[in-house]
Amino acid sequence: MEGLARGLRAEEEERRRRRSAAAANANANANSNAAWNNANSNVAGGPSSSTGGFGGFGTSHPVGTDSTTTPSVEKNLDMEYALLSFAGMQRHIAAECLFYLAYHAQWTAEEVASTIDLIRDLTNGSDVAGGVGGGLPRLDPLVEDVPPVYGEVPMMTATTASVQGFMSQQHPQQPWQTWNVPVPKLKDPKEWEEEWIANLWGKGQPSLLQCVSTLIMTVMCALDARQVLMDRETHGPNSFGAGNALLPPHSDTSDPSMNGLQPIHTRLDPENKDTERQWKRCDIWGVLFLPYALLLRNSVVPLTSPRGSGSVPSPLSPDANPRTRGTMDAAKTFTDCLTAASQYKSLTFARLSLLPSLGLPSTRSHHKDVVSMGRGDDVSIFDFYISVLAECTAQFMDVLCASGNLPITQQMWFDEENNTAQVEWKRVEEKNYYDVLWGKTVVEDASGPREVDILDRPDCLEDVFALVSSVCSASPESSKAFWKIVEEELELTEDGSSPVTTFRLAPSRCMRLLETKRSDNDSTLLVFLSFLASLALSDGVEENDTDNGASMVHSFLSGEKSINAPSDRHAPFTWSNAISAIRWYAEELSPEVKDEGSKRDRLRRSPTTTTDTVPNPTSYYYGVGDDTESNDRDEASTPNDTHRSQSSSSSSSKGKTPSTKELDEVGKNALTSLLSLISNVAARCPAAREYILDIQLPVPGTDGVSDILQDGCLEILFSLLTTEIPPDIRGLTFMAIANLLQSKPGDTGKSPMGKKAWELMECCQFVPVKYLSRYSSFAAGAGSAPSMSMYNRNQPRDDGDVPNSYFPKTADYGMIYIFEHVEGVVGTYPATEGFLYLLTTLIKVAGCPSDLGSHWRLRPGCSPYIEYVTDFILPRASGTARHVKPLPFLTVADEGRLTSRALEVVEAVLVRYVVPLALDRATLSELRESNCLTMKAANEELGLSSNTSAIFCPNDSLDEDDADDFSQDFNNICLYPQNVDPGSQMLEVSYGEPVSLPKTPGFFILSSLLSTSKGQLLQIIQKLISENGGSRDIQSFYGKSVMSKLLAIALFRETPPSFSNSREYNELVGRQQRNQLDDASCKAAMTYLLHSMIQQPSPAVLDFCFEDAFSFETTNCAPDDAVLWRERSLLLSMRILCAAAAREEPFNRAIKHSPKQLSVVPTLLFKGPIHGSY
């Protein structure tokens, strides 16, 4: 320990010398920064004023001032920098060695105390006596620890009339003087982000956070009382078995005074104010309270596990336990530790700082010669970290429930603080009243009660379970720690053999208590739902799907089992309540046309004869408004009608003003919790999928219930998608639908529910076929098909004219509008990714129906949706699209997710395609025979036997429709719009020229990959395979890129920096300095800005991936794991090429023997940019 501390202190001396040199360089730029400040002051006609510090982040700085203590650090290649990096690496390795030692062996109290002191000294830094290193202070996300949003300030001469006119008003004595006005240049957001990340890494703070996090996990292991630790003197397990020698299990020979814990107690006693003053980061100090409280638990309550059985025990009185008599009160310390951890926001630190610093899920794999963050190490250490944290969190929650120390909700805290502020204000008013009566001078204060500052809010109930969700998302296997495991003994068999003992999951103490609180208090419902969504990720004890977490959650919500004993007071929450709540949101968010006075039905409702009532959904959550629904229902018979109901522009053209509503934070959390619960359970439980899809909710009428109409689950979810919801909730809705539609294992036939989902998606017009169809009279929103000259006129002539998007900023373009103008602004694409995942699922379960949209399109089928992926999404995601700026991505993980989702669609289409033997009209038997022959040739001639199951569909999945559709691909069939009734509302009816029947999506993709002219799709795949070093540098490039940013963000805890927030802050300070904003208004605006930056606790959401193109087994994928998504995109690219190569010979042979020269005419036209799109 002492040697490690000496090394850290030596490292700090070297860093201090480098900082001194950097400070000298920073002073050289002071004049240019001061010039900008003085210019603002002169233009405003007065001296600049300064606002105070806000939210505890320090004082503000004027626009353009580089207030960081260390300037942007350039890449150093000298030996000194290499030695410093090597010292940091050695420090982390030493910390990992301590972790492994504490994981297996017994530590002494002095060794644990020394580790706690080391954590304190590392976090305090050298500014505090005894501290070492640069420390981990709370960082300012607006000024102090981020670079300025403006770059260098060039000086230029401005003689324009506008500047001269303004200057003449301020200085009439010099009306025509030429003024030197500095014009700041706004930095590029990506460059600004890279700059502040480089600054933090140059200071060594992210690597220090990793080291401190490892030491925290070391203390957790050293204080663990549930494992069998090894005695380092006897080189065997402790004599008492499971437990900890620091506080061994109760026996007659143990010390009842617990004086052996005194070195640890003096450092982890929450009531010791002297110790508290020694810590600059009390939130880190509070994390250490958790394992200490769990160690003391054996002295306060009977040691029970959330997996154990029995009723909830009550804490023992301090006088009832001899271990509380002595120099320390174990019961009081135990309670104080639980309370202090929440007061110091230690759970927030564990969720947003500690957990990200432990690594990414991709590091769970055991590979040799893996380089992680510049060093070769055993990346499986992530499994050790997450298992220790999960067990500690589960035990901590169990202790909270057993001791009655469960925190209150955020709403309850806010109400209490608001009431306190009202009481304080009332007391001030009463004092002023009596002061006036006694003739004293009173200063009038009209500000009213103080505003509640949510930055002062401690960790509440939502924060506790948000930590659970984050742990389960990081490692779904760890969610088993939050279940109780019970033992069951099966009955004797007929042959008289001994009974078999099995284990299964059961509700834990925490689940039972939370379900009771949910029944008594609606404000805890969202916490309860998010907790169930996390537990659904657990595997079964016997490693089978019938006993996993999702199956257990389904049994509770379907009424098969109950969490607590049935009670007349508490109505259980069911799947019907969840679907009813989603329907309520869909109705409330639907645009309301004022002159009609009713909401339009998004989708057709089916008739029913049932009259069962469903409980009012608004009784199950808070803050959602009144439960009012309309009786008048309209039906959208065609996609054109549905599209008109969605578009606000069409309503405006008729003189109607649509009234739209937006989700508040409570609504967002409610929908996220509900959709996450449905998605997680449906993905892992076939019985839940069938049960939820069968739910039919009666439509409330004038008499309360209608006996004519009912809403199905799919219709309700699709109706939610037609409202204005955030992209992340939209993507989660798509994912929930996709998981509900998955087929049962072994079921290879086409799903009727999948076909129904195709029809609903066609009705909703997420892909604007009406405006993009090659033969549509509505293309580009015009009255007739746009001419090609229109596109040629708008092509950019130089790089400065390149637009950001292809299409105009209007909701008429559906998912394209969301992709380009909503998601593209942020750089993340959750809605598009969810939509692509749904497309993949529909292709897997229902194929590509050739008659889709036949009631309103002459060219029916699924081709528009596949072309949307191959001709629009993939070119934009890969950067191969022409005449448009590259698509922005927030991280490389976002790029990998979008690319992988698009490739999944291509793979699913190609795997289902079979080249027929007979080109005129192949029978089903002939099609299956062709599939077998192609598969055999791939095995024997191409050497693809290891990938055959992944690139070919089973014969059972093919039907007569596939045989007909694949045979028609080798014939050019033309349709004649002039023969169609003009009143039939067909899309192409007014085109006037023959249109060709589209090829199947499989033919379209295969022809693009095997084209002699090297089609665009093949070029995209080639680029994806070869970019950024291909498969050689995945870990070093993608892993290091994401981890460096995650660690830098983790330093800011719940207020991560962003370019937009820093820019807004600078604008507020500039307006105040120019006297355009008074101090009170500026302070209120900055407080609001800080509050908006806080990351609110929310249910963690996982992505799901299919194992292969025809497997319904899904795996959980972390959204931020760039390494996993890059590897997946490479795997999908290779599978697509293998699938195309396996079909190349029969495809070329069929083309050669075709009676006519075949032509492929796409159904959609993705040309741009269209006028007005930028």
Side-chain angles (χ1 to χ4, degrees):
M1 295 292 180
E2 295 178 358
L4 180 60
R6 284 197 303 269
L8 293 172
R9 289 188 175 91
E11 176 189 351
E12 174 56 23
E13 291 296 333
E14 188 65 24
R15 290 184 181 275
R16 186 179 294 117
R17 185 191 64 78
R18 292 177 58 241
R19 284 201 300 268
S20 300
N25 296 330
N27 292 332
N29 298 326
N31 293 333
S32 60
N33 292 331
W36 170 240
N37 300 331
N38 294 335
N40 284 332
S41 177
N42 293 334
V43 171
S48 61
S49 58
S50 176
T51 60
F54 300 96
F57 291 118
T59 58
S60 60
H61 291 263
V63 181
T65 301
D66 188 354
S67 59
T68 54
T69 57
T70 303
S72 179
V73 179
E74 297 182 357
K75 187 175 182 179
N76 294 292
L77 300 177
D78 56 359
M79 182 59 67
E80 293 183 357
Y81 186 81
L83 290 176
L84 289 175
S85 300
F86 179 75
M89 179 187 67
Q90 293 296 100
R91 177 182 62 187
H92 195 185
I93 293 177
E96 290 180 352
C97 292
L98 292 177
F99 169 78
Y100 280 120
L101 182 63
Y103 188 87
H104 295 285
Q106 178 68 58
W107 279 28
T108 64
E110 290 75 15
E111 291 170 339
V112 177
S114 299
T115 307
I116 296 173
D117 291 340
L118 182 58
I119 296 174
R120 180 199 60 202
D121 295 340
L122 289 176
T123 56
N124 287 343
S126 57
D127 296 337
V128 179
V132 294
L136 290 176
R138 283 294 311 279
L139 300 185
D140 179 2
L142 293 177
V143 180
E144 296 290 343
D145 298 293
V146 293
V149 295
Y150 292 95
E152 296 182 359
V153 184
M155 303 298 294
M156 61 176 294
T157 301
T159 57
T160 60
S162 59
V163 174
Q164 292 178 357
F166 179 78
M167 295 301 182
S168 63
Q169 296 178 7
Q170 303 294 326
H171 306 277
Q173 68 277 9
Q174 296 175 332
W176 298 104
Q177 180 177 350
T178 300
W179 295 87
N180 292 328
V181 181
V183 180
K185 181 181 180 181
L186 196 65
K187 294 181 180 178
D188 179 73
K190 193 69 175 178
E191 296 177 357
W192 177 85
E193 179 185 278
E194 294 174 353
E195 184 178 353
W196 70 259
I197 293 176
N199 285 345
L200 294 178
W201 277 95
K203 299 175 185 178
Q205 290 175 324
S207 59
L208 180 59
L209 177 62
Q210 276 188 308
C211 180
V212 169
S213 299
T214 302
L215 293 175
I216 292 175
M217 303 304 298
T218 301
V219 175
M220 286 186 181
C221 291
L223 298 180
D224 189 5
R226 294 165 292 109
Q227 306 295 335
V228 178
L229 300 176
M230 303 297 293
D231 190 323
R232 284 149 52 194
E233 294 182 357
T234 62
H235 302 285
N238 286 331
S239 58
F240 47 79
N244 198 307
L246 297 173
L247 190 61
H250 181 66
S251 64
D252 296 336
T253 59
S254 61
D255 182 8
S257 64
M258 295 185 295
N259 289 329
L261 284 178
Q262 197 62 34
I264 300 176
H265 182 72
T266 56
R267 291 162 173 81
L268 296 181
D269 183 9
E271 293 297 314
N272 192 333
K273 298 302 179 183
D274 294 334
T275 304
E276 180 181 358
R277 284 189 289 268
Q278 295 176 5
W279 287 78
K280 292 180 64 176
R281 290 292 299 272
C282 288
D283 54 344
I284 298 179
W285 184 43
V287 175
L288 302 177
F289 293 161
L290 306 184
Y292 186 46
L294 297 179
L295 179 65
L296 297 177
R297 181 186 186 186
N298 190 29
S299 300
V300 182
V301 297
L303 183 59
T304 56
S305 168
R307 300 183 181 184
S309 58
S311 59
V312 179
S314 301
L316 299 179
S317 171
D319 295 333
N321 194 327
R323 290 198 168 189
T324 61
R325 307 190 192 107
T327 58
M328 59 175 290
D329 189 341
K332 186 176 185 304
T333 303
F334 169 79
T335 304
D336 291 342
C337 286
L338 299 180
T339 305
S342 298
Q343 292 297 326
Y344 292 140
K345 306 194 74 168
S346 300
L347 302 180
T348 299
F349 171 82
R351 174 170 59 94
L352 298 176
S353 298
L354 175 63
L355 185 58
S357 64
L358 301 182
L360 290 171
S362 61
T363 61
R364 286 177 290 180
S365 58
H366 297 259
H367 295 296
K368 295 182 179 180
D369 302 327
V370 174
V371 180
S372 175
M373 299 300 298
R375 56 184 174 83
D377 60 352
D378 184 6
V379 293
S380 64
I381 194 172
F382 177 84
D383 292 325
F384 288 91
Y385 285 153
I386 203 66
S387 63
V388 171
L389 184 59
E391 290 290 342
C392 182
T393 305
Q395 292 291 325
F396 171 68
M397 291 182 56
D398 184 64
V399 165
L400 289 178
C401 297
S403 61
N405 288 294
L406 205 62
I408 62 176
T409 63
Q410 292 183 1
Q411 185 63 39
M412 295 172 64
W413 175 87
F414 182 84
D415 294 339
E416 290 181 0
E417 289 293 312
N418 195 37
N419 292 336
T420 302
Q422 295 289 344
V423 171
E424 292 174 353
W425 178 251
K426 187 175 181 180
R427 290 176 180 173
V428 172
E429 287 185 326
E430 291 177 352
K431 181 179 181 300
N432 292 340
Y433 173 76
Y434 288 109
D435 287 346
V436 171
L437 293 180
W438 287 96
K440 296 181 180 180
T441 303
V442 177
V443 179
E444 294 292 338
D445 185 6
S447 60
R450 62 176 175 86
E451 295 290 336
V452 177
D453 190 357
I454 61 176
L455 290 171
D456 298 332
R457 182 180 61 204
D459 284 335
C460 298
L461 188 67
E462 291 86 347
D463 299 283
V464 176
F465 287 91
L467 176 60
V468 176
S469 297
S470 298
V471 170
C472 294
S473 298
S475 177
E477 297 86 354
S478 300
S479 57
K480 191 185 298 183
F482 302 95
W483 286 94
K484 181 176 71 174
I485 298 178
V486 296
E487 181 179 349
E488 289 184 342
E489 192 172 277
L490 301 181
E491 297 180 358
L492 292 173
T493 58
E494 295 180 357
D495 57 0
S497 59
S498 59
V500 179
T501 301
T502 61
F503 298 88
R504 65 174 180 85
L505 301 178
S508 63
R509 177 187 295 113
C510 185
M511 184 189 299
R512 299 198 306 269
L513 180 61
L514 193 60
E515 201 273 340
T516 302
K517 285 183 172 293
R518 189 275 311 168
S519 303
D520 297 334
N521 186 355
D522 289 344
S523 62
T524 60
L525 174 67
L526 303 186
V527 178
F528 175 67
L529 296 178
S530 64
F531 186 47
L532 291 182
S534 301
L535 297 186
L537 301 174
S538 171
D539 294 327
V541 182
E542 303 293 339
E543 302 298 334
N544 58 71
D545 293 338
T546 59
D547 189 34
N548 60 16
S551 299
M552 293 300 299
V553 172
H554 168 64
S555 66
F556 300 147
L557 298 182
S558 61
E560 297 177 7
K561 300 179 181 178
S562 58
I563 298 177
N564 288 304
S567 173
D568 295 335
R569 289 184 52 204
H570 308 307
F573 189 88
T574 63
W575 285 123
S576 295
N577 299 134
I579 301 301
S580 182
I582 295 176
R583 180 178 69 173
W584 185 89
Y585 274 108
E587 293 290 345
E588 286 296 307
L589 294 173
S590 299
E592 181 177 347
V593 182
K594 293 182 178 180
D595 62 349
E596 289 183 359
S598 63
K599 300 180 179 69
R600 294 183 60 89
D601 278 342
R602 295 296 180 236
L603 305 164
R604 185 185 301 275
R605 282 167 167 156
S606 58
T608 179
T609 57
T610 62
T611 58
D612 298 334
T613 60
V614 178
N616 187 345
T618 57
S619 64
Y620 288 96
Y621 47 91
Y622 64 102
V624 293
D626 299 329
D627 183 27
T628 56
E629 298 196 31
S630 173
N631 304 329
D632 300 329
R633 309 289 177 180
D634 299 327
E635 294 183 356
S637 57
T638 66
N640 292 338
D641 296 334
T642 304
H643 195 73
R644 283 194 294 270
S645 67
Q646 287 182 248
S647 175
S648 59
S649 59
S650 61
S651 298
S652 301
S653 63
K654 298 179 182 181
K656 302 172 184 177
T657 304
S659 175
T660 59
K661 300 178 183 179
E662 295 183 357
L663 282 173
D664 56 5
E665 281 300 323
V666 175
K668 293 178 183 178
N669 290 336
L671 280 177
T672 303
S673 301
L674 291 166
L675 294 170
S676 299
L677 177 61
I678 294 174
S679 181
N680 291 352
V681 175
R684 301 169 62 88
C685 180
R689 297 196 286 268
E690 184 177 355
Y691 184 92
I692 297 173
L693 288 175
D694 288 341
I695 293 178
Q696 299 288 331
L697 301 182
V699 177
T702 56
D703 56 348
V705 177
S706 172
D707 59 352
I708 300 177
L709 299 177
Q710 63 181 2
D711 289 329
C713 175
L714 275 183
E715 289 84 353
I716 291 173
L717 291 173
F718 273 100
S719 65
L720 179 64
L721 291 169
T722 61
T723 63
E724 295 184 4
I725 53 179
D728 54 341
I729 297 180
R730 187 181 299 274
L732 191 55
T733 307
F734 280 126
M735 185 172 295
I737 296 175
N739 288 334
L740 284 172
L741 295 173
Q742 292 182 24
S743 298
K744 295 180 180 179
D747 188 1
T748 58
K750 293 183 179 179
S751 167
M753 296 301 295
K755 180 63 180 298
K756 182 179 181 180
W758 269 119
E759 296 172 352
L760 291 172
M761 191 158 62
E762 176 77 4
C763 183
C764 292
Q765 279 292 280
F766 297 123
V767 175
V769 180
K770 173 181 176 181
Y771 295 99
L772 299 180
S773 176
R774 183 176 294 269
Y775 301 112
S776 172
S777 59
F778 297 95
S784 58
S787 62
M788 292 304 297
S789 60
M790 171 183 176
Y791 301 106
N792 295 332
R793 271 201 315 271
N794 288 281
Q795 296 300 332
R797 301 183 176 222
D798 53 57
D799 293 340
D801 296 334
V802 177
N804 294 322
S805 59
Y806 270 128
F807 299 99
K809 190 176 181 180
T810 171
D812 291 338
Y813 285 92
M815 290 301 299
I816 292 179
Y817 159 75
I818 295 175
F819 178 78
E820 290 196 324
H821 299 286
V822 179
E823 298 175 319
V825 176
V826 183
T828 59
Y829 305 87
T832 302
E833 293 165 13
F835 182 60
L836 295 175
Y837 179 67
L838 176 58
L839 282 178
T840 303
T841 305
L842 290 178
I843 295 169
K844 291 167 66 69
V845 302
C848 298
S850 59
D851 59 344
L852 183 66
S854 58
H855 62 287
W856 76 287
R857 285 192 279 139
L858 282 179
R859 308 183 75 200
C862 301
S863 295
Y865 301 92
I866 310 305
E867 293 172 14
Y868 162 79
V869 178
T870 58
D871 296 350
F872 181 72
I873 296 297
L874 272 176
R876 294 300 311 273
S878 61
T880 59
R882 301 178 58 189
H883 310 307
V884 68
K885 290 182 180 179
L887 196 66
F889 290 101
L890 191 61
T891 65
V892 291
D894 296 297
E895 181 180 4
R897 283 199 314 274
L898 182 62
T899 303
S900 297
R901 290 304 189 196
L903 292 176
E904 286 175 355
V905 178
V906 177
E907 183 199 26
V909 171
L910 193 55
V911 167
R912 287 197 66 94
Y913 184 72
V914 179
V915 180
L917 290 176
L919 302 184
D920 49 356
R921 181 176 177 82
T923 62
L924 178 59
S925 60
E926 292 174 338
L927 187 68
R928 291 178 175 177
E929 181 184 358
S930 177
N931 190 39
C932 293
L933 293 175
T934 307
M935 189 183 308
K936 181 179 180 181
N939 290 335
E940 298 176 354
E941 301 176 10
L942 300 180
L944 298 176
S945 57
S946 60
N947 296 321
T948 301
S949 60
I951 61 177
F952 286 97
C953 64
N955 280 338
D956 294 343
S957 64
L958 301 173
D959 56 16
E960 294 289 349
D961 293 336
D962 293 327
D964 294 339
D965 296 338
F966 297 156
S967 299
Q968 290 182 358
D969 284 336
F970 297 90
N971 295 279
N972 292 330
I973 302 176
C974 292
L975 307 174
Y976 299 90
Q978 57 268 28
N979 297 334
V980 180
D981 183 8
S984 62
Q985 299 295 322
M986 284 291 184
L987 181 64
E988 305 88 349
V989 68
S990 60
Y991 189 73
E993 297 181 5
V995 298
S996 60
L997 186 70
K999 306 296 184 183
T1000 61
F1003 186 97
F1004 172 78
I1005 290 178
L1006 195 58
S1007 61
S1008 178
L1009 291 173
L1010 301 179
S1011 173
T1012 56
S1013 59
K1014 199 176 183 180
Q1016 183 184 31
L1017 183 57
L1018 180 60
Q1019 297 179 26
I1020 292 174
I1021 293 179
Q1022 290 177 340
K1023 181 178 184 298
L1024 293 175
I1025 293 176
S1026 61
E1027 65 180 356
N1028 298 326
S1031 60
R1032 295 188 302 273
D1033 300 326
I1034 294 179
Q1035 190 71 30
S1036 59
F1037 180 82
Y1038 292 90
K1040 186 174 182 179
S1041 174
V1042 172
M1043 276 303 300
S1044 62
K1045 183 176 180 179
L1046 287 178
L1047 288 171
I1049 292 177
L1051 292 168
F1052 293 88
R1053 214 173 68 181
E1054 74 269 25
T1055 54
S1058 69
F1059 182 81
S1060 59
N1061 290 330
S1062 295
R1063 182 180 182 182
E1064 183 178 352
Y1065 173 86
N1066 279 264
E1067 291 175 352
L1068 288 174
V1069 175
R1071 290 177 60 192
Q1072 188 208 24
Q1073 292 177 344
R1074 294 188 295 269
N1075 296 329
Q1076 297 175 353
L1077 199 64
D1078 59 78
D1079 291 349
S1081 300
C1082 184
K1083 182 177 181 180
M1086 289 185 175
T1087 301
Y1088 176 80
L1089 176 61
L1090 286 173
H1091 290 177
S1092 64
M1093 295 173 61
I1094 298 177
Q1095 285 186 322
Q1096 299 292 344
S1098 60
V1101 178
L1102 276 178
D1103 288 333
F1104 293 88
C1105 296
F1106 294 109
E1107 293 290 345
D1108 55 62
F1110 222 88
S1111 170
F1112 291 98
E1113 296 182 3
T1114 58
T1115 56
N1116 303 115
C1117 306
D1120 295 331
D1121 197 343
V1123 174
L1124 184 147
W1125 292 107
R1126 171 58 179 169
E1127 291 177 344
R1128 182 163 180 80
S1129 65
L1130 289 176
L1131 176 63
L1132 291 169
S1133 299
M1134 298 305 299
R1135 281 181 180 173
I1136 290 172
L1137 293 181
C1138 290
R1143 293 163 175 79
E1144 180 178 11
E1145 183 176 350
F1147 185 76
N1148 290 336
R1149 183 170 57 249
I1151 293 291
K1152 182 179 180 181
H1153 291 85
S1154 177
K1156 299 180 180 179
Q1157 184 177 359
L1158 302 179
S1159 60
V1160 180
V1161 182
T1163 58
L1164 302 185
L1165 188 65
F1166 293 97
K1167 282 286 186 177
I1170 296 177
H1171 181 67
S1173 61
Y1174 56 93

